[in-house]
Amino acid sequence: MKLYLAVFALLAAVHCEEQFNGDQVLRIQAESESHTEVLKELKKNVDWELDFWTHGFSTERPVDIRVPNTSLCAVKDFLRENNISFTVMINNVQELLDKERAEMVNNEGMERETKSFVFAAYHNLETIYAFMDTLVASHPNLISKVNIGSSYENRPMYALKFSTGGVSRPAIWVDAGIHAREWVTQASAVWIANKIASDYGVDPSVTSLLGQMDIYLMIVTNPDGYAFTHTNNRMWRKTRSVNLGSSCRGADPNRNWDAGFGGTGASKDPCSDSYHGPYANSEVEVKNVVDLIKGHGNFKSFISIHSYSQLLMYPYGYTCADIPDQSELHAVGTAAIKELTSLYNTRYQVGSICNIIYTASGGSIDWTYNIGIKYSFAFELRDTGYYGFLLPANQIIPTAEETWLGLKYIMGYVRDHPY
Ligand SMILES: [Zn+2]
């Protein structure tokens, strides 16, 4: 263990990896409108370098903020002065990160020794890409790797295409990891890719689905951001594009789609974690997916996987107005969650993005819905705020298993309701 820590310290020094010693994540509960106003003011304070893990402010839902060690006293005093109650959700962020890293290093050694992939572990981009190659090689008649373009830093972006033939069959899109730090999403997508491959020809539902439709699964939708979470800053969310006139990098790739772009719930500030970018589709990672979807022209469902909060959402995010298909999508979502919950009793909420969490403009599923992809959904996976983005690796498989049940329900419904 000592050796691992020494190696880790060395790597950290080489990469100038961001440290979070003594940082805490506070869970704050607004009890009145005046509290939410105070929290909005708090968000404007740039001196305290707060990292909001949740977005939007309401009395319905807690606000989770990572507070740097140096700002802790000031922030806690501020909350007490305003009679706003809070709890400490994570006592020392760096402690969890060290544990996460040690587990990864340990696992890498084990995988080298056994030459097998461990699904209950987090992996870097290279390892996930190597896993994809292995999976494609072992299922050449079912899976192919589609390069949809390159990221800002010139990394290839791969979708796994599950197809049993046909030309431009109706298809279902699933993506994970558009927000870099939501590690359980990429890890779950890896497990799900393997699950689809091994269930084809075994599970009648998967077999009949792939007899009629294709599935595109993009495991790492923000490869630059994901690589950066491994080398420099585990808390990174955005892309890594350079912003003209600012020293802050990146835009929020889920505020960058051409649906209500630049509206409420996105920031104009390049330093903000919800910066929408200079214009819609400015982020090449978003543009690549948009081009693939448009070029294909026959997607019937688009499902985007995020964490955390345990929610299954449908459009819209940029307005709280109901979509024409509200009642159908609500029913599908509710039934999908019933399946998901049946495995480990993990509780989810279902609703439109705007109604269930907050107004958020420029989101992917609003755009896909508006171009006619009716079955557009977004998941927020585990947990509800015990570990947040730092979900321990031993929860990867249970999370993936239950999510798969929800996904499979939606996919089956899409298959049985052609339009
Ligand atoms: Zn997200």
Side-chain angles (χ1 to χ4, degrees), residues 26-32 35-36 39 58-64 79 83-87:
L26 303 184
R27 165 152 282 203
I28 301 164
Q29 188 59 59
E31 272 140 19
S32 64
H35 281 174
T36 58
L39 292 177
S58 80
T59 52
E60 310 280 307
R61 199 165 276 288
V63 174
D64 301 338
L79 293 171
N83 291 315
I84 300 177
S85 54
F86 64 90
T87 54

Side-chain angles (χ1 to χ4, degrees), residues 162-163 165-173 209-210 212-216 296-301 414-415 418-419:
F162 297 79
S163 178
V167 178
S168 243
R169 274 189 180 168
I172 295 172
W173 172 273
L209 182 85
L210 287 170
Q212 301 165 51
M213 305 184 77
D214 295 341
I215 301 171
Y216 286 73
H296 183 282
N298 203 14
F299 278 95
K300 299 298 179 188
S301 176
V414 174
R415 175 197 61 212
Y419 66 94

Side-chain angles (χ1 to χ4, degrees), residues 178-180 182 185 237 252 254-255 305-308 358 379-380 389:
I178 195 169
H179 287 142
E182 298 167 5
T185 71
R237 163 181 165 97
D252 182 338
N254 206 35
R255 300 290 183 278
I305 303 181
H306 292 255
S307 72
Y308 61 96
Y358 49 77
F379 279 85
E380 295 275 1
F389 301 120

Side-chain angles (χ1 to χ4, degrees), residues 40-110:
K40 282 180 196 167
E41 285 307 307
L42 179 65
K43 192 164 189 180
K44 290 180 192 153
N45 182 319
V46 290
D47 298 335
W48 288 340
E49 298 185 313
L50 304 176
D51 169 16
F52 281 73
W53 280 21
T54 54
H55 296 267
F57 301 95
S58 80
T59 52
E60 310 280 307
R61 199 165 276 288
V63 174
D64 301 338
I65 313 174
R66 180 178 57 80
V67 182
N69 179 261
T70 47
S71 311
L72 266 179
C73 273
V75 171
K76 287 178 179 174
D77 280 349
F78 174 87
L79 293 171
R80 287 188 192 108
E81 277 160 21
N82 287 285
N83 291 315
I84 300 177
S85 54
F86 64 90
T87 54
V88 177
M89 177 175 136
I90 296 175
N91 187 49
N92 183 352
V93 170
Q94 190 61 44
E95 235 170 61
L96 281 184
L97 294 185
D98 290 347
K99 197 165 167 238
E100 186 179 75
R101 181 58 62 97
E103 278 181 8
M104 278 182 71
V105 171
N106 192 17
N107 179 64
E108 278 161 22
M110 220 157 66

Side-chain angles (χ1 to χ4, degrees), residues 145-192:
K145 203 171 76 170
V146 183
N147 184 337
I148 72 156
S150 296
S151 68
Y152 182 83
E153 292 176 333
N154 223 15
R155 293 183 175 86
M157 291 176 66
Y158 296 122
L160 291 175
K161 180 182 176 186
F162 297 79
S163 178
T164 58
V167 178
S168 243
R169 274 189 180 168
I172 295 172
W173 172 273
V174 180
D175 67 78
I178 195 169
H179 287 142
R181 64 184 171 183
E182 298 167 5
W183 277 16
V184 77
T185 71
Q186 298 96 339
S188 294
V190 163
W191 185 93
I192 287 165

Side-chain angles (χ1 to χ4, degrees), residues 229-351:
T229 60
H230 284 267
T231 55
N232 293 66
N233 182 347
R234 173 67 179 84
M235 294 304 151
W236 193 258
R237 163 181 165 97
K238 301 190 285 182
T239 62
R240 290 293 302 156
S241 55
V242 166
N243 292 308
L244 285 175
S246 170
S247 60
C248 294
R249 299 277 290 261
D252 182 338
N254 206 35
R255 300 290 183 278
N256 191 242
W257 301 66
D258 197 5
F261 177 82
T264 313
S267 172
K268 289 191 252 313
D269 175 6
C271 295
S272 163
D273 249 354
S274 49
Y275 174 50
H276 50 52
Y279 50 90
N281 300 337
S282 63
E283 302 315 286
V284 68
E285 296 80 5
V286 172
K287 175 91 169 47
N288 288 339
V289 177
V290 165
D291 288 347
L292 186 281
I293 298 287
K294 279 186 177 167
H296 183 282
N298 203 14
F299 278 95
K300 299 298 179 188
S301 176
F302 184 102
I303 303 166
S304 197
I305 303 181
H306 292 255
S307 72
Y308 61 96
S309 286
Q310 294 173 200
L311 308 168
L312 178 53
M313 301 175 293
Y314 49 81
Y316 286 120
Y318 66 84
T319 168
C320 283
D322 277 351
I323 51 169
D325 301 296
Q326 197 271 344
S327 60
E328 185 185 7
L329 265 57
H330 194 87
V332 174
T334 304
I337 286 325
K338 200 173 161 214
E339 292 295 315
L340 185 156
T341 301
S342 69
L343 194 57
Y344 296 114
N345 205 29
T346 307
R347 300 286 164 169
Y348 266 63
Q349 278 179 280
V350 180

